[in-house]
């Protein structure tokens, strides 16, 4: 997977806050993925757990590479998989390379009946995060009102976390920020028709934003529709810089500092 690497990118220090390195499209070419990251100034990444069955693969990747960290959780779209109890999540999160609980949250796009089991699972994840003192990685789609309500009811502001692949309105962003969460922007912010996302990326406090790829999905322009990878997070940072009238170096510095502040246990591996 070749990546065009301008010389100016070599001095950047970016962190991909959300990617799926265990998914087959990336896992089968891990050496090339890691090489492209290094060539594009991506100094670290969080590999995201989406179910219990595949979590060992996620953790193995994190254990094998000092600059890769992991999260543990079950994605709200996964209905036919092991459903961990709170104690299981706490046990799995008690590992130095596991820095967050998630991907968790609510998704009513595919589950239009708004199933109660999603909300019950979401609450277990939040309670586990509170028990281990680690931030949450939140997925919300067509469910912002319920997502925010459950976060508030469970006291998630005590650990905060990441509103991953943020695509909601400024009103939702403002409430998430009040709860102590960071907003993470994906390649969607580079899409011409993503005006709502662009507005939030422009208005959000610079010290509360992160960048991500959600790879292998959502490749940014100019790779839209193709296989995504962590190296492409620089296009997300560049778009945010353009929107805010900053340099890409300033956005890289800010988002990397934000990640290190949210996950201080990664500093030794990721800090310059």
């Amino acid at each position: 997977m070749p990546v065009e690497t301008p010389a100016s990118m070599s001095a950047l220090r970016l962190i991909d806050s959300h990617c799926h390195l265990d998914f087959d499209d990336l896992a089968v070419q891990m050496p090339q993925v890691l090489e492209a990251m290094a060539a594009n100034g991506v100094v670290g990444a969080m590999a995201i757990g989406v179910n219990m069955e595949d979590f060992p693969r996620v953790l193995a990747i994190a254990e094998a590479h000092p600059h890769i960290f992991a999260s543990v959780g079950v994605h709200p779209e996964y209905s036919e998989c092991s459903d961990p109890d709170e104690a299981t999540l706490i046990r799995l999160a008690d590992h130095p390379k596991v820095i967050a609980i998630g991907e968790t949250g609510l998704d009513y796009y595919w589950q239009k009946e708004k199933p109660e089991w999603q909300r019950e699972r979401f609450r277990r994840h939040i309670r586990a995060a509170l028990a281990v003192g680690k931030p949450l990685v939140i997925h919300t789609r067509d469910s912002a009102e319920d997502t925010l309500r459950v976060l508030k009811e469970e006291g998630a502001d005590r650990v905060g976390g990441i509103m991953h692949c943020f695509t909601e309105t400024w009103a939702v962003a403002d409430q998430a920020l009040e709860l102590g969460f960071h907003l993470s922007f994906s390649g969607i912010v580079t899409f011409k028709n993503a005006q709502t996302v662009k507005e939030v990326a422009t208005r959000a406090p610079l010290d509360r934003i992160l960048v991500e790829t959600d790879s292998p999905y959502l490749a940014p322009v100019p790779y839209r529709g193709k296989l995504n990878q962590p190296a492409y997070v620089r296009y997300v940072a560049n778009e945010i810089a353009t929107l805010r009238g900053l340099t890409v170096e300033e956005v890289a510095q800010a988002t990397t500092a934000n990640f290190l502040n949210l996950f201080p246990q990664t500093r030794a591996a990721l800090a310059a």
Side-chain angles (χ1 to χ4, degrees):
M1 46 168 51
V3 181
E4 182 182 344
T5 310
S8 62
M9 287 293 167
S10 61
L12 292 182
R13 293 183 59 82
L14 289 156
I15 296 174
D16 184 351
S17 72
H18 193 111
C19 55
H20 299 282
L21 296 178
D22 65 305
F23 286 17
D24 288 344
D25 286 341
L26 295 180
V28 297
Q29 48 185 331
M30 188 63 67
Q32 295 94 325
V33 169
L34 296 173
E35 182 180 356
M37 286 175 62
N40 285 269
V42 184
V43 299
M46 178 156 58
I48 301 297
V50 296
N51 59 49
M52 293 292 97
E53 289 76 7
D54 295 328
F55 174 69
R57 295 176 60 187
V58 177
L59 185 58
I61 292 170
E63 289 178 324
H65 305 287
H67 63 312
I68 306 296
F69 292 83
S71 73
V72 61
V74 180
H75 191 290
E77 287 181 15
Y78 283 66
S79 57
E80 303 297 328
C81 66
S82 299
D83 205 359
D85 57 20
E86 188 178 330
T88 298
L89 290 168
I90 291 170
R91 174 175 57 82
L92 294 174
D94 187 24
H95 187 289
K97 293 306 295 272
V98 177
I99 61 173
I101 299 289
E103 175 173 359
T104 184
L106 301 173
D107 191 312
Y108 297 162
Y109 181 81
W110 297 110
Q111 305 282 347
K112 298 189 185 300
E113 67 275 19
K114 302 182 181 179
E116 181 60 29
W117 64 261
Q118 273 199 20
R119 294 186 287 276
E120 291 291 338
R121 179 194 285 172
F122 186 22
R123 291 180 187 278
R124 289 200 300 274
H125 280 70
I126 298 170
R127 291 166 186 168
L130 291 169
V132 297
K134 294 185 177 181
L136 289 150
V137 177
I138 303 298
H139 170 107
T140 181
R141 190 175 185 188
D142 288 359
S143 58
E145 183 178 351
D146 276 2
T147 298
L148 291 168
R149 176 177 58 81
V150 172
L151 288 171
K152 291 173 184 176
E153 289 175 355
E154 295 293 336
D157 58 307
R158 285 179 279 162
V159 288
I162 302 172
M163 303 297 288
H164 131 74
C165 193
F166 195 83
T167 56
E168 303 293 336
T169 63
W170 174 250
V172 174
D174 194 38
Q175 293 181 69
L177 291 167
E178 287 228 1
L179 282 169
F181 280 76
H182 288 63
L183 310 179
S184 184
F185 298 95
S186 71
I188 291 175
V189 77
T190 70
F191 300 173
K192 287 184 179 179
N193 61 347
Q195 293 306 313
T196 298
V197 180
K198 292 178 188 290
E199 178 194 357
V200 176
T202 304
R203 295 180 62 178
L206 187 59
D207 63 354
R208 298 287 291 284
I209 67 174
L210 299 168
V211 289
E212 66 169 86
T213 59
D214 201 15
S215 51
Y217 310 117
L218 300 177
V221 175
Y223 296 100
R224 186 175 182 180
K226 299 180 181 179
L227 183 70
N228 200 4
Q229 60 170 313
Y232 293 165
V233 78
R234 68 180 176 87
Y235 293 99
V236 179
N238 190 67
E239 177 66 19
I240 293 173
T242 299
L243 291 169
R244 300 179 71 108
L246 301 172
T247 65
V248 68
E249 290 82 8
E250 288 172 318
V251 171
Q253 182 179 17
T255 56
T256 295
N258 296 343
F259 187 94
L260 297 176
N261 288 335
L262 185 59
F263 303 107
Q265 65 270 54
T266 69
R267 284 184 176 276
L270 302 182

